[in-house]
Amino acid sequence: MKTKSFVLLAAITITLPALSQTARVGGPCEGCEAIYESPVPAEKLDMFAKLPDAAWEGKKPIGINGIVYKADGKTPASGVILYIYHTDQTGKYTAKADAKGWEKRHGSLRGWMRTNEKGEYKFVTLRPVAYPGHSDPAHIHIIVKEPGLNEYYIDEYLFADDPLLTVAQKQHLENRGGSGILTLKDVGNMYKAERHIYLGRNIPNYPTNQ
């Protein structure tokens, strides 16, 4: 009996460090695991993503860029994976006929990026349309996966000129990762905007030693 107890204790001792390597932060996050569905291995992801709807014929695309900073708010964070997805021009998350996994729910307008050594990221897409018959403003979802932590969501990208983005809605934003409200600038062949992301900002259970 003593031998069995010792073996069980040893097993627990060995297992615990492994379980503690990744701290759970950010609270519940339905669909966050979609960040692992990238067709490109995480270590080979580029800092730039061109979503399937991005084109220069017809509607002007939008180009969003920024820097991801560590929790101190000033040190660029490299190797951070970002996953984005949004509605199409009908306001729906339309998926391809052969879609698998979370693409069935998130639609096929999605992309992955990995910040470079300067913490930079950039993506190009068409501006999404709001849900039909709803009062929610148009938005782009974003999920973050930084080294040593689990994936979590931050505030969606929103558009400052969206009439559906009311003062009341702005007041209820959590500012997870910093403000996600974009001010688009017409640069001729497209619209551009900037959003910097601050890891850990307003994220529940975020470790203080990051």
Side-chain angles (χ1 to χ4, degrees), residues 184-205:
L184 294 174
K185 180 181 179 181
D186 189 341
V187 296
N189 65 337
M190 66 187 301
Y191 297 95
K192 290 188 176 182
E194 185 177 72
R195 179 195 182 177
H196 299 318
I197 295 170
Y198 301 89
L199 298 177
R201 182 168 294 182
N202 299 317
I203 303 299
N205 302 318

Side-chain angles (χ1 to χ4, degrees), residues 95-100 103-104 108:
K96 294 180 296 186
D98 61 348
K100 298 178 181 179
E103 185 179 0
K104 295 179 181 179
S108 298

